[in-house]
Structure formats: C-alpha cells, structure tokens
Amino acid sequence: MISRRSILLCGGALFALVGGAGVYRMSSLAADIRAPLLYAFGPHEFATRIQILSGQVQGTGFFDPELVKKQYPDWNGEPLINRQLYVRELSGTSSRAITTPNNDTLYTSAVLDLTVGPIEVIAPESRDRYVSIAFMDPFNDLKAYIGTRATEGRGGRFWIIGPGQSVDVPEGVEAIQLESNDIWMLSRVFVAGAEDLDEARAVQSQILVRPVDADIAAKPFLTKPTDQLEAKSFLALTNEILGRNPGAAHTARAAALSDFGIVPGDLDAFDGLPALKKRAWRSAVQQVESKISEQVDAQEKTETGWGTPPPILGNYGANDEVRAGVSLTGFGALTAEEAIYFRTSTDAAGAPLDGTKPYEMVIPAEGVPADAFWSLSMYAVSPDQRFYFYENELNRYAINSKSEGLTIQPDGSIVLALQPDRPNDESHVWMPTPDVRFRCVFRAYLPRQAILDEHWVPPPIVLKK
C-alpha cells in the first residue's frame, strides 16, 4: 500500500527534457502532460492486468495454462472471460499477478465483459468464514461487493448487469447494475492455515461465474500491452479501455485531455499528435513507473513505523495521483470498510527493516479490533518497489489470528519473532526474514471503528538488542 499522503509527481522532476533550442518549450509541455499521463495510468494498468488475468496476453500470476486446463478440460487457449478461475493454493513465491498478495485467502478471479448481457455470480453463505467478492471498474474503483459484510453473509444468485441494460431478473436473483462494461471480479475466502485448506476450497468451489446467454461471445482487446511501456501502445490501450467503457464514472473527463491524444476509442490517436507531444509522451511513459516507485519510496523513508493507506483507497474520485500510485503498488486493494492495510518498511526507531537482523512484534492480550481476522505478511522489496513473497525455510509468508501453532504467552500476548534464524524461545512465533530489505503489511479484515478512526495501530516492530 502507499502513504496516506497523495503521490505528488512534480512535472519538472518527472518529465523535464533537455536538448537544443526546444528546451523551454519542451519543459513547459512536459509539465502539461502530467495530467493526461496520470489520468491514463490507472485505466492502462487495469487493461493490462485484465488481459493477463484472462490469458489474452502472457504474464505471471493467476493465469497458469495448466491450472486452467485442469479446471476447464475443454479449454483450447481462448481468453477466459466471464468464467471463474480458482487459485486453489495460497499465494507464494510464484504469485506475481498483483503486488503485496495475501497468504490468508484463496483467490477466485473473473474478468467480466458485460456487453454480452448479465453475468450470473453464485456466492456461498459466508457467516462463519470471511468471504468477499469485489467488483472493480477500469478506474480501479471498487463498485460493489458480495460477502460477509456487504450482504451480511447471505449467498445465492446475483446478476451483474452492464450499463443501460434493462433486464427482467428472475425471482430469487439479486441484481447488481454497474456503469462499466469491463469489470474485474476478485474473491477472497479466508484460510486459517494448511489444515483448513480443504474446507476453504469447498467454500471457494461454490463461487460460480457464467453468462446468462452463453451464445454471445465476449470481446477481447485489440491492443496488447507491451513488456516495456511504449508511448503509442500506451495511448492506444488507454483509448481502447475508455472506448469500451463510455459510461464509466471518469471516462467523460477524457474530453478535457483530447489535445494530448486521450480520445476514447481512437487507437491511432498518437499518430495524429504534433511531434513535440509525441516526444513528451515517449519520455513520460518511459519514466512513469520508476518515478512513481521512487516517489512512494521517498515518502515512506520519511515515516517511522506503521503507515495507513489513503482514505480514498478503492474509491479515488478525480484523484489520479493516488489512483496511479495504488495501481502500480497495490492493485486490487479493498476499501476501508472491508479491510485496512497497515504497512511499514521501517522499525519503531525509523531504521529500514533489514532481513539480516532480528526483530520482535507483540500482539497484545486484548487482541486486534477486527471482526473477521488479522494477519501479518512479510515481503522482499524488488528493485522496482513491488513487494512479493520470498523463499524461506518454513515456507511461511504470513501469520494470522487463526493460524495453527500460535503460542499464547502467560499474559495473553503473542510474540512474533521476525528474524533470519530460529528463535531460542520456542514460544515465540518465528517468521523467517529475507536476506534483503523487507516490508511488513498488517491487515485487519472487517475493522472496527477504533481502526477506522485511527485510534488503533499495530504494535511496533522493535529491533532486538
């Protein structure tokens, strides 16, 4: 997750171009392109991710062809759209589809194309086990939920209906109408640990996704994302996702950016731009990911201990700066009423977390004010400032409030030992650290008001003497 403070991408620092007589004009233009770039980044990232998640392009993470073939024996390599894809194992070192994955829930993913008509989602009862089924639009906003909180654990049949569609919904089916055609559905089913995995899978198997009219074919993307961001492709894919979703809440804002080639549906807009604007786009897209990462990292270096995400997480409004930052560093994050993500890359004294050193964190006897569960996850920091699990002796990437083997101290507390070697005190819960800089994320699912009001934060991570 990112800092509560907005990511501020300074036009001069991010986009300044030098060279020849055009220095002054290019510097001014570079500042101007900041707004269209930040506006475009979130939808472009969404379009890239859902193509990976549906197998329209190759990428690491959820979409494993062997996994798909096991679930759909008749699958012939076509995009997997409007059908669920179960991830039957907890996230581990190979999980790369989203940054900061959790190790406490089983994921079920479905890329939805609502232009084919209603998509039926069948959800399990979820009163005794945490379940969330979230629906994200192309601007990375969470538009609807089904699950333990949102539907009070009530499962059943739900029809996800696209914009402008008038549908007669059968009795016993609940309608959820959305304003975008392209939607990513991501479900989480809580797993206490390895011993609970089979029961969790049984609940997960009750999540089903299917089009009401299976005879209408979904529409794959025409523009494919490139491995390295490239200006013409970036603009084409942005315009394609906007054109596919004219009714999305923020598509209309593109009209103010048309001079920079942001034109919904125009895949060739880049070709018609003046040379100076083409140069500005080329420079901007080459730097944007690294500059966002650098800014996030720089902001976090000024913080000590646990930080919280921005309150607009999952519902960004017109704040394209925060949307861009979360799209890169926390894609798929839930809104605050569903989960709060505390994160830190420093210990209580403000020093960077170093996996070669021993740390301790004590969960107090009174516990954590969350109605579902809490968890602590640790991630190695990659060079591009994304956060992924790492190999370790125990294959342990997280601990949660219902994990097997949590030792309760005589005073009711739980002592977590974050260190490279096994602790001498066997009553301390060992969390092996990587041999590089690392980050911790403390999640509280269904947080109570004390967390939402910022009156409670996780216990400090303290360097052992």
Side-chain angles (χ1 to χ4, degrees):
M1 295 300 96
I2 65 173
S3 169
R4 176 175 294 281
R5 291 166 296 188
S6 299
I7 295 178
L8 302 176
L9 301 179
C10 173
L14 180 53
F15 304 124
L17 302 175
V18 296
V23 173
Y24 177 77
R25 292 182 62 197
M26 287 300 292
S27 296
S28 299
L29 183 60
D32 290 343
I33 205 171
R34 174 179 178 273
L37 177 67
L38 291 177
Y39 170 83
F41 190 85
H44 180 275
E45 189 76 356
F46 176 90
T48 298
R49 299 295 181 94
I50 66 170
Q51 289 195 63
I52 294 172
L53 291 161
S54 58
Q56 295 178 59
V57 295
Q58 291 185 346
T60 57
F62 280 113
F63 202 92
D64 179 344
E66 293 184 7
L67 180 69
V68 177
K69 196 69 176 178
K70 288 180 181 178
Q71 189 175 333
Y72 297 103
D74 61 343
W75 180 66
N76 293 314
E78 70 277 9
L80 193 74
I81 304 175
N82 297 331
R83 290 191 284 180
Q84 79 281 352
L85 178 60
Y86 301 126
V87 179
R88 295 297 199 181
E89 303 296 334
L90 294 173
S91 296
T93 57
S94 63
S95 302
R96 290 292 189 273
I98 56 176
T99 188
T100 58
N102 78 57
N103 187 246
D104 310 294
T105 64
L106 290 176
Y107 288 118
T108 301
S109 172
V111 172
L112 307 184
D113 174 7
L114 300 183
T115 62
V116 306
I119 305 300
E120 182 170 87
V121 175
I122 298 178
E125 295 288 322
S126 56
R127 292 179 175 87
D128 298 327
R129 179 187 297 271
Y130 175 80
V131 174
S132 73
I133 302 174
F135 298 88
M136 176 186 282
D137 79 354
F139 287 88
N140 300 187
D141 287 341
L142 274 296
K143 307 303 289 189
Y145 286 102
I146 301 167
T148 303
R149 177 195 60 82
T151 57
E152 298 180 335
R154 175 176 45 81
R157 297 170 64 197
F158 298 80
W159 279 16
I160 314 303
I161 302 171
Q165 296 179 15
S166 180
V167 177
D168 292 327
V169 179
E171 184 177 354
V173 174
E174 183 172 334
I176 298 175
Q177 188 139 25
L178 301 177
E179 59 194 8
S180 303
N181 293 312
D182 289 302
I183 295 290
W184 181 38
M185 186 203 90
L186 182 64
S187 170
R188 296 165 169 88
V189 175
F190 174 67
V191 185
E195 73 288 346
D196 185 44
L197 197 50
D198 287 343
E199 289 189 18
R201 287 172 178 153
V203 174
Q204 180 191 38
S205 294
Q206 298 175 51
I207 300 171
L208 301 173
V209 177
R210 57 200 179 199
V212 172
D213 187 345
D215 293 331
I216 303 177
K219 300 175 183 177
F221 279 78
L222 300 174
T223 309
K224 304 305 179 187
T226 53
D227 289 338
Q228 300 295 324
L229 291 184
E230 184 273 325
K232 182 174 181 177
S233 172
F234 180 91
L235 203 53
L237 184 52
T238 297
N239 286 342
E240 182 171 0
I241 188 69
L242 295 176
R244 289 167 63 106
N245 295 277
H250 302 289
T251 298
R253 291 200 286 125
L257 304 170
S258 60
D259 286 350
F260 285 86
I262 306 281
V263 182
D266 188 348
L267 276 58
D268 298 313
F270 182 84
D271 294 335
L273 290 175
L276 284 176
K277 289 184 178 179
K278 288 180 178 179
R279 287 179 61 189
W281 271 115
R282 290 189 183 106
S283 177
V285 299
Q286 287 173 3
Q287 299 180 65
V288 62
E289 288 189 342
S290 63
K291 293 301 182 181
I292 290 175
S293 297
E294 288 171 9
Q295 186 65 25
V296 171
D297 191 43
Q299 288 178 345
E300 291 191 353
K301 285 180 179 177
T302 68
E303 299 176 347
T304 298
W306 296 104
T308 55
I312 61 172
L313 189 68
N315 281 306
Y316 304 98
N319 194 325
D320 296 324
E321 294 174 324
V322 175
R323 176 181 287 108
V326 178
S327 297
L328 180 65
T329 64
F331 190 80
L334 297 171
T335 50
E337 69 269 25
E338 201 72 29
I340 289 286
Y341 308 84
F342 299 93
R343 49 84 197 109
T344 185
S345 297
T346 70
D347 63 18
L353 292 173
D354 179 348
T356 66
K357 298 177 180 178
Y359 301 90
E360 186 174 278
M361 177 178 174
V362 180
I363 306 297
E366 60 270 22
V368 177
D371 288 328
F373 66 96
W374 62 260
S375 74
L376 177 69
S377 302
M378 299 197 305
Y379 306 90
V381 181
S382 68
D384 63 354
Q385 295 301 302
R386 301 195 188 213
F387 311 104
Y388 300 116
F389 294 131
Y390 51 90
E391 299 286 350
N392 66 77
E393 179 180 333
L394 298 182
N395 291 324
R396 175 178 287 169
Y397 316 112
I399 203 80
N400 66 61
S401 51
K402 300 182 181 180
S403 292
E404 189 178 50
L406 284 183
T407 303
I408 308 299
Q409 300 294 318
D411 64 357
S413 65
I414 299 170
V415 179
L416 305 179
L418 288 61
Q419 57 190 61
D421 302 315
R422 191 178 297 273
N424 294 328
D425 189 333
E426 293 184 357
S427 72
H428 293 184
V429 180
W430 183 30
M431 299 190 67
T433 52
D435 58 2
V436 295
R437 192 162 62 91
F438 70 98
R439 152 176 290 212
C440 289
V441 175
F442 191 94
R443 295 174 170 89
Y445 285 80
L446 305 188
R448 297 177 193 159
Q449 204 61 41
I451 294 179
L452 295 173
D453 291 342
E454 301 184 22
H455 294 154
W456 187 96
V457 295
I461 296 175
V462 178
L463 179 65
K464 287 179 167 180
K465 301 299 183 183

